[in-house]
Amino acid sequence: MLKRQVTLHEGHKVFSVDAWDSSGKKHTVSVRVERVHHHHEDHHMDTVMNISSPQMESPADDLVLMFPKSSSGLKRAKRGLVIPPFFILEDGKGPFPQKLHQIKSDFDKEVTMQYRITGEGADLEPKGTFFIERLSGNLFMTRPLDREKKASYRLIVHATGVDVNIVEAPMEIIVNVIDRNDNKPVFTQNPFSGNVPEAADIGHEFMTVTATDADDPETDNGVISYSIVKQDPELPKPNLFTINSVTGGIRVNASGLEREKWSRYTVLITATDRAGEGYVTNGTAVITVTDSNDNAPQFEQTTHTVSVPENKVGAEVARLTVTDGDEPGSPAWSTKYKIIGGDKSGFFNVSTGPSQLEGIITTVKPLDFEKNKQLILSVIVENDDPFVGSLATSTATVTVNVEDVNEPPEFNPKEKVIFKPEDSPVDSELVTYKATDPDTGKSHKITYKIGSDPAGWLSVTPDTGVIKVRSLMDRESPLVKDGKYRAIILALDNDGEAPATGTGTLVIELEDSSNTFCLK
C-alpha cells in the first residue's frame, strides 16, 4: 500500500520484498513503481501503478502476458498498456531451455494465432538467448544470464493470425537481469604505496586504496567496505593507521611515527562486498614514513679559539662540524649557518661546506690588529626545512684572535706632486717625502731609497727622506711626459724577521726656464 505521497524523480523506483517460508528458505520479488499516463474523458492524469514479478530462478509457470486489445485487420492497434519489465536472476541453474512466460492474444480464443520474437537475445546479439514457441506463445530462455555481460534485454513479441488477416500491435517486453553476488572485489593495484610524514597530525589522510566489483553497484553486491587487518611492525603501537570503510582513505590514527626507528610499514587491508558481509579480497599497502625535521642539527664542538692574520681577505677562520639525526640528503638534514653576534662590521662570512654538515667561516674584509685584537663570534646552525615543533637551536662560540703582521710603511700622500724649475741647481733640496709605520705597537726605524729614477736626476737622504737634485733636470727630456717627471721612493722598516717596504710616487712638474730671443 502507498504509505505517503511519492515523487518519482526518475519516473520509476525499484525495491525488493523478501519472505521466508517455514523451512527458512528465502523468497524475493522485485517491485517496480512507475508513473504512467491515463487518458480519460480528454483529461490527462498521472497515476501510480505497482507491478511485481518474481525474482526466482524458475518463474511461475502460470504467469501469462496478454496482448492489449487491438482492432482486427491489418491496422495496428494503439498500445493501451505498457507491459512492465520482469526480472530474472543471473546464473540460473536451469534446466534449459527454461520457460519464462506464456504470451497470448485475445484472438487466440477465436482463431489460431502464431507468435515470434525479435530484438536483443532473439535475432540480435546475443542471438538465441530467448525463443518463443510459434503456436503456444511460451517464451523460453536457453542459457543462464550474466548481468555483468548484459543487464537488460528488449524483446518485441509479434502475434499474427494463422490463415486469417489478424495482426496484433507488437508488444515490448523488457527483461532485466537481477544481480547475484558472483564477483569478488578486485584491488586496482597490489601493493599500494603511500608516504606519510612522521610529524603528520592524527586524522591526516595520506593515501587511498581502491577496489572494484563487477556486480551491480546499486545493490549491496557491488558495495565495497574496506578495513585494516594487520600492521607490520606493530610498533610503537598496533593501530597507527585507520581506513575509511567507504572511500578507502588511509589516515594517521595515533601518534608515534618515528622514521629514525620505523621507516616503513606493511598494512594488510581487505575489501569486502555486500557492505562488509560478502566476498573478501586481501591487499597490501606499503607505507613509507618520510622525514620531518624533528631533529635539530647539533655542533660537535660548541667553543672554538682560532688565530687569523690581519689584512688577509678570504682566509679560512674555522670549520664547524655538526650532526643531524634526520634523513641524509633531505632538506631536514642539510644545514645552513648564521653569525648572530660579534661581527657588526661584517668582517666574516659563514657558508655551508660540501658535506652539508659543516659551516666554514672566512674573512671578507681585512682585519686590523691595531684596531681590534680579538673578536668573539656567535654562530647558529639550522636546516633548510623549518623545524617541526619546538626544537632548540645549537650555537657555537668562535673566539678569533687577530695576528699582528708587519705592515709596510705608508707614504702620505701615496702620490706627491711638486712644481720646480728645470734648472734647479745640483744638490738643491726639492722636497721632504716621508712615510709612517702603521704598526703602532712596534717601534720600527724607517729608511728611504730611490726605487725608480729613470733619468738619474734625484737623490734621497736615507734617514730623513729629503730629496735633492743629483744632476740637472731637463724639461725637454723624452723621460718627461706632459711636463711631468715621475720617480718611485721606497720606505723600508727594520723588522728583522719580515721587513716590509712601502712605496710612494713623486711627481715633479718641471717649469721651462729657457730664454727666447727675437732678431729684427
Side-chain angles (χ1 to χ4, degrees), residues 143-378:
R143 50 180 169 258
L145 303 181
D146 186 346
R147 191 206 66 86
E148 285 70 50
K149 291 183 178 179
K150 189 168 178 60
S152 179
Y153 296 82
R154 180 178 178 270
L155 299 172
I156 305 298
V157 183
H158 308 266
T160 58
V162 176
D163 298 328
V164 290
N165 191 15
I166 297 176
V167 179
E168 287 276 23
M171 181 172 65
E172 179 184 80
I173 296 177
I174 301 298
V175 179
N176 289 328
V177 185
I178 301 171
D179 188 45
R180 186 193 296 272
N181 192 22
D182 56 350
N183 291 278
K184 283 187 174 184
V186 177
F187 280 109
T188 56
Q189 65 184 79
N190 198 22
F192 291 87
S193 297
N195 298 317
V196 58
E198 61 180 330
D201 295 329
I202 294 175
H204 171 69
E205 185 172 305
F206 57 90
M207 67 179 296
T208 300
V209 300
T210 54
T212 60
D213 194 306
D215 292 315
D216 189 348
E218 296 186 2
T219 70
D220 283 349
N221 296 338
V223 176
I224 298 173
S225 178
Y226 301 93
S227 62
I228 290 179
V229 178
K230 186 179 180 182
Q231 163 195 310
D232 182 29
E234 294 184 336
L235 296 171
K237 54 190 72 171
N239 59 339
L240 287 174
F241 309 103
T242 187
I243 191 169
N244 186 307
S245 62
V246 176
T247 66
I250 299 179
R251 58 185 182 271
V252 178
N253 188 53
S255 60
L257 291 173
E258 190 169 350
R259 185 202 63 83
E260 289 74 28
K261 292 184 178 179
W262 307 285
S263 62
R264 182 169 170 165
Y265 291 89
T266 301
V267 176
L268 178 63
I269 54 177
T270 61
T272 309
D273 62 15
R274 292 198 61 80
E277 298 181 356
Y279 290 122
V280 179
T281 299
N282 294 325
T284 301
V286 177
I287 300 171
T288 300
V289 182
T290 59
D291 194 32
S292 297
N293 196 11
D294 57 351
N295 292 279
Q298 301 293 319
F299 284 109
E300 291 184 330
Q301 182 179 338
T302 56
T303 59
H304 300 260
T305 301
V306 296
S307 296
V308 179
E310 65 176 334
N311 300 323
K312 192 172 182 181
V313 175
E316 183 175 307
V317 178
R319 286 180 179 255
L320 313 179
T321 58
V322 300
T323 59
D324 195 303
D326 292 309
E327 183 177 3
S330 71
W333 172 85
S334 57
T335 54
K336 57 185 179 180
Y337 303 82
K338 186 177 181 181
I339 298 173
I340 61 171
D343 187 30
K344 291 183 179 179
S345 299
F347 288 110
F348 303 96
N349 176 66
V350 61
S351 59
T352 302
S355 71
Q356 299 295 311
L357 292 178
E358 63 179 356
I360 302 175
I361 302 176
T362 56
T363 56
V364 292
K365 291 167 61 175
L367 297 168
D368 190 340
F369 174 83
E370 284 69 36
K371 292 182 179 179
N372 202 337
K373 297 177 176 59
Q374 186 181 80
L375 297 96
I376 300 176
L377 308 178
S378 294

Side-chain angles (χ1 to χ4, degrees), residues 126-145:
K127 293 180 181 180
T129 303
F130 304 96
F131 73 90
I132 192 169
E133 289 181 339
R134 187 175 72 89
L135 297 178
S136 69
N138 290 328
L139 179 65
F140 288 89
M141 179 173 65
T142 63
R143 50 180 169 258
L145 303 181

Side-chain angles (χ1 to χ4, degrees), residues 17-87:
V17 177
D18 298 329
W20 287 263
D21 60 23
S22 58
S23 65
K25 184 177 180 181
K26 180 180 177 181
H27 303 265
T28 302
V29 293
S30 178
V31 179
R32 179 183 178 95
V33 180
E34 290 186 332
R35 184 176 63 199
V36 297
H37 304 285
H38 291 286
H39 294 273
H40 180 64
E41 296 180 355
D42 296 328
H43 291 285
H44 180 217
M45 299 173 59
D46 282 352
T47 63
V48 175
M49 75 175 180
N50 188 335
I51 308 295
S52 65
S53 299
Q55 295 183 17
M56 299 186 298
E57 295 184 9
S58 299
D61 292 336
D62 59 350
L63 187 59
V64 178
L65 299 181
M66 301 297 296
F67 271 87
K69 294 290 186 180
S70 63
S71 59
S72 60
L74 292 175
K75 184 180 179 181
R76 291 183 182 274
K78 183 178 180 181
R79 178 64 57 84
L81 178 68
V82 176
I83 301 299
F86 62 91
F87 300 82

Side-chain angles (χ1 to χ4, degrees), residues 8-9 42 53 91 104 163 227 235 262 290 337 390 441 445 455 476 480 493 519:
L8 302 177
H9 295 288
D42 296 328
S53 299
D91 297 329
K104 280 187 174 291
D163 298 328
S227 62
L235 296 171
W262 307 285
T290 59
Y337 303 82
S390 179
K445 181 181 178 182
E476 281 70 37
V480 177
D493 65 21
L519 298 177

Side-chain angles (χ1 to χ4, degrees), residues 118-129 154:
T118 58
E120 301 165 332
D123 60 339
L124 299 178
E125 294 296 339
K127 293 180 181 180
T129 303
R154 180 178 178 270

